[in-house]
Amino acid sequence: MKIANREIGDHASPFVIAEVSGNHNGSIKRAKEIILAAKNAGAHAVKLQTYNADTMTIDTDLPDFMIKGGLWGGYSLYDLYKEACTPFEWQAELFKYARSIGIIIFSSPFDETAIDLLESLEAPAYKIASFEFCDIPLIKYAARLGKPLLMSTGLASESDIGDALEAARSAGAQDILLFHCISSYPTPIEQSNLRNIQYLKSHFDVKVGLSDHTMGTTAAVASIALGAVAIEKHFTLSRQDKGPDSAFSLEPHELTDLVTQTADAWSALGNPGFNRADVEKSNLIFKRSIYFVEDLAEGAEITKTAIRRIRPGYGLAPKYFDELVGRKVSKAVRRGEPVSWDVLK
């Protein structure tokens, strides 16, 4: 799978996405500053959200539309989305800016009009957000374009995931990346359930990433060992500036750490098997093996006192000690020579 020119998969270091979300706080200048900061921190991509309040919900204060408790308690849905949206009229300028500084940019569309806009901007991929994962018509509309389709699984049941994948594939999606996600803002780290990454990968035969809403980078780094090939984290210039998602967003120095730590975690995975690392070769001197500790003439019998299990590790393995006792040497050997099969009769 590729997004723009960046390969994504087990063979590539983790793809790190900085989610701008509503952290621009209503300023396109700040949105650009966030994009630049993400680039400077080493993120591979930035992601916008493409919606407005009217494409998300309706303007009413009926009880069903009021948020009770949590980070956004007291807002109506309409007012929250009006405050947090990245206006449609900004998107072309932000896409152009990101490309000018050399960072991949794409977005989460929340309805078909958003997809139409993003398609006109030649978005290289589409990301279906957790709360839209149940919107099968939206998934099909994005999938038919044949671009990489990223989908977050927050709130989804196993059957929901099966339905979404079937819809995406039937509509033409070839490259699909599921994101394990817990839709809680922020997510308590003990509820991250990262082992589900392995289940999603094996059960649904897809690449899997992590859309992470925990504080810090620990869960994201741990996910790499479990097979995550991409990490998405919300990003802001400073949590002190406040904003709809700032409370659970990374700051620039934390994003730098995330990029470095996830790349290091991936590098540390290596390959299964027991081909010893090249860096170990110089330490053979510290491994025990069997050495002659007495001079022996040709044909002499090896006694228990003639050999010892000592460092360095250039002789036969200690497990052969008892087998060697009573054997005879085929040539004269000197104290300090490693025992090898070719000096034995």
Side-chain angles (χ1 to χ4, degrees), residues 269-275:
L269 294 179
N271 297 297
F274 290 94
N275 294 321

Side-chain angles (χ1 to χ4, degrees), residues 1-80:
M1 179 189 293
K2 281 188 177 183
I3 295 180
N5 292 319
R6 181 57 160 72
E7 292 193 8
I8 301 170
D10 293 333
H11 60 290
S13 62
F15 183 58
V16 177
I17 305 163
E19 165 67 78
V20 177
S21 66
N23 286 329
H24 50 67
N25 291 351
S27 165
I28 191 170
K29 179 177 180 290
R30 181 180 171 88
K32 289 180 179 178
E33 290 171 349
I34 291 173
I35 292 169
L36 179 60
K39 164 70 175 178
N40 291 339
H44 305 107
V46 289
K47 188 178 76 65
L48 308 179
Q49 296 179 351
T50 306
Y51 67 85
N52 59 48
D54 291 304
T55 66
M56 290 288 268
T57 188
I58 57 174
D59 186 6
T60 176
D61 58 3
L62 288 171
D64 283 359
F65 295 81
M66 299 300 297
I67 302 171
K68 303 171 183 68
L71 191 62
W72 305 302
Y75 275 94
S76 71
L77 290 176
Y78 190 89
D79 288 342
L80 174 63

Side-chain angles (χ1 to χ4, degrees), residues 4 21 30-31 37 42 50 64 75 91 95 101 123 130 152 167 185 198 222 240 243 245 252 281 294 302 318:
S21 66
R30 181 180 171 88
T50 306
D64 283 359
Y75 275 94
Q91 308 251 336
F95 266 69
I101 64 171
S130 289
S152 277
Y185 309 94
Q198 295 171 311
Q240 297 303 313
D245 299 336
K281 290 179 180 177
E294 296 176 359
I302 300 173

Side-chain angles (χ1 to χ4, degrees), residues 115-116 118-119 123 126 139-148 171-173:
I115 293 175
D116 293 342
L118 293 169
E119 192 64 10
Y126 292 101
I139 290 172
K140 287 182 176 181
Y141 198 83
R144 69 184 176 83
L145 299 168
K147 294 180 177 178

